[in-house]
Amino acid sequence: MRLKFKYSKVYFDCLNQHKKINRTWEDVVRLGGMFEQKYSEETNKIIDLIPNILNQEWSEEIIEVYIVDWIGPSFSHPLTLKVREDTLLMLTILTHELIHHLKLNKPKGIEREKEINDYTQMIFDKLEINIEKQIKTMREFSREKTP
């Protein structure tokens, strides 16, 4: 399996048609490009680690990842990754959303989010990348967005 990063101004415009953001389309392309360049090696390792840790194979050969900015969060279908200045947080969120791809059969709720964040932490522990600050942010996001 591999990731294909996509930049769609039409998608960006649709997400932002009712609520404007401060970043321009050019900002999105710049930050997304920086992210891709900085973490290309790690994203490949992550897509190899996820099936091993979850004991579940990818069902797709390619997962498209739309790089955008908007008022809402990143989400897994279609995989939409919100740009951020903290590119390690972007990588953490991408990993979280990729795990959602394999864990869709679980009921929504705080327990599923906790489990996915725990898996995310395991993956970064195996990569020996410290995401203490980023996973704390992810856990806060999860508490805010789930009833």
Side-chain angles (χ1 to χ4, degrees):
M1 199 284 284
R2 68 181 181 87
L3 300 178
K4 181 177 182 180
F5 292 96
K6 298 191 75 152
Y7 297 81
S8 169
K9 185 155 183 342
V10 172
Y11 189 42
F12 170 80
D13 289 342
C14 286
L15 287 173
N16 292 296
Q17 67 184 342
H18 299 293
K19 198 94 163 160
K20 297 297 177 207
I21 55 164
N22 291 329
R23 284 196 182 98
T24 65
W25 173 244
E26 291 74 21
D27 293 334
V28 170
V29 172
R30 179 182 55 79
L31 288 168
M34 283 176 26
F35 168 78
E36 282 188 73
Q37 186 175 14
K38 185 173 184 177
Y39 290 115
S40 64
E41 207 173 293
E42 288 80 0
T43 55
N44 289 328
K45 290 176 183 177
I46 288 166
I47 60 176
D48 289 340
L49 277 171
I50 289 173
N52 293 333
I53 289 176
L54 299 180
N55 198 27
Q56 192 172 344
E57 291 301 316
W58 295 109
S59 58
E60 299 113 319
E61 288 184 35
I62 298 171
I63 294 178
E64 294 179 337
V65 180
Y66 288 90
I67 304 292
V68 300
D69 195 15
W70 75 302
I71 194 81
S74 297
F75 50 90
S76 59
H77 286 84
L79 207 155
T80 301
L81 183 62
K82 185 174 173 170
V83 294
R84 297 170 184 278
E85 294 294 332
D86 181 349
T87 54
L88 186 54
L89 179 58
M90 281 179 70
L91 186 63
T92 306
I93 293 169
L94 175 62
T95 304
H96 177 99
E97 297 306 338
L98 285 167
I99 294 168
H100 268 290
H101 258 280
L102 294 179
K103 288 293 192 183
L104 282 177
N105 58 344
K106 293 256 184 181
K108 286 183 179 183
I110 193 70
E111 285 306 312
R112 178 174 76 170
E113 291 301 311
K114 181 186 177 316
E115 179 183 26
I116 289 173
N117 285 326
D118 290 346
Y119 283 130
T120 300
Q121 180 70 63
M122 279 186 242
I123 288 163
F124 282 90
D125 288 348
K126 286 202 178 283
L127 293 172
E128 298 179 349
I129 298 173
N130 181 351
I131 59 162
E132 185 177 336
K133 176 181 147 194
Q134 290 77 14
I135 201 68
K136 182 179 181 208
T137 300
M138 291 297 300
R139 292 184 193 284
E140 288 168 8
F141 286 163
S142 295
R143 278 193 295 278
E144 290 171 9
K145 77 175 187 180
T146 46

